[in-house]
Amino acid sequence: MLDREPEKSLEALKLSEADELPAELEVQRRYLSVRARGAKGDLPGALQILEGDVSHHAELLRLELHWGASDWVNVAKTIRRIIPQQTVDILPPERADLVLRWAVALTMQGDVEGLFALRERFGPAMGKTRFNDAFKAIAGVDIGTVPDFKTLVDKTADLGDFRSFMAGYRQKIKSHA
C-alpha cells in the first residue's frame, strides 16, 4: 500500500478503476482494497469484499484481519478451514505456523476442549517442527491462568522458537502492509 496510508491506497484504487480489466488484476485490486480497509480499521468493509471468495488467499486475508482484531473465535474458525481436517505426520513450515496461531487463538478464547483436540491431532507433527517448544508452551498452558496475550507471550518469552515465530509473523505483516 502507498507508504502505509490506506486512505491514499483506496483513493488510488478508485481513481484507477477501469472496465474490462484482466481477471487476475481485478482479484489483486480487490485484495489490496481488503488490506487497505483492514489497515484503516474497517473490518466489516474488508470482510464484505471477501464475501463469497473461498480461495486460499482470501482465507489467509481473513485470518490476517481477524488476527489483527484479536478476534480469536474467527481466527480459529478461519484456520480450521485452511488446514486439512485429517491428522498429519508432517507439517510444512507454513502449516506449522498456522497450527501455532490456532493454539494461540484457542488459548486466548479459553477453549480447553479445542486445545486438547489440537494437541492430540497435531502434537506429534508439531514435535518435528521448529515450533515444537512454543507449541508445547502454548497448547500446554493452564487455560485459567492466561488472561491475555501479553501474559501468554511472557510465559513463552524464553523460547527461541516462539520469538522466531513472532518475528516472522511481524515480518509477514510488514511485507503485506
Side-chain angles (χ1 to χ4, degrees), residues 6-174:
E7 288 292 342
K8 287 184 179 180
S9 296
L10 290 169
E11 187 178 322
L13 286 168
K14 186 173 176 78
L15 290 172
S16 62
E17 284 179 357
D19 292 334
E20 299 183 35
L21 290 173
E24 187 176 318
L25 184 57
E26 277 295 331
V27 169
Q28 288 174 358
R29 291 172 56 81
R30 271 190 326 111
Y31 292 163
L32 284 171
S33 180
V34 166
R35 280 203 174 91
R37 287 178 187 279
K40 74 175 204 158
D42 181 11
L43 183 63
L47 291 171
Q48 184 178 17
I49 294 169
L50 291 173
E51 210 168 283
D53 187 343
V54 295
S55 70
H56 182 72
H57 193 82
E59 291 292 6
L60 291 175
L61 282 171
R62 277 187 197 88
L63 174 59
E64 183 180 316
L65 291 166
H66 292 309
W67 184 274
S70 300
D71 181 351
W72 306 118
V73 170
N74 281 310
V75 166
K77 285 180 182 178
T78 303
I79 294 173
R80 191 176 298 118
R81 287 192 303 266
I82 296 171
I83 293 183
Q85 293 304 303
Q86 71 276 9
T87 301
V88 294
D89 294 325
I90 297 172
L91 283 168
E94 65 277 0
R95 296 283 181 182
D97 171 270
L98 290 171
V99 171
L100 187 61
R101 289 204 242 172
W102 196 352
V104 168
L106 292 172
T107 299
M108 294 305 295
Q109 59 180 303
D111 185 346
V112 178
E113 290 176 17
L115 208 50
F116 178 79
L118 192 71
R119 279 193 310 264
E120 290 294 308
R121 185 167 150 207
F122 292 108
M126 287 298 285
K128 300 172 190 172
T129 71
R130 64 187 180 98
F131 298 118
N132 179 44
D133 289 339
F135 180 75
K136 286 195 296 191
I138 295 167
V141 296
D142 178 5
I143 299 297
T145 64
V146 184
D148 59 22
F149 191 69
K150 181 177 179 346
T151 303
L152 183 61
V153 171
D154 290 345
K155 282 181 171 272
T156 58
D158 59 331
L159 300 172
D161 286 340
F162 188 75
R163 284 192 304 248
S164 296
F165 160 73
M166 291 306 291
Y169 180 73
R170 281 189 211 98
Q171 186 59 37
K172 268 192 225 176
I173 296 297
K174 287 180 184 175

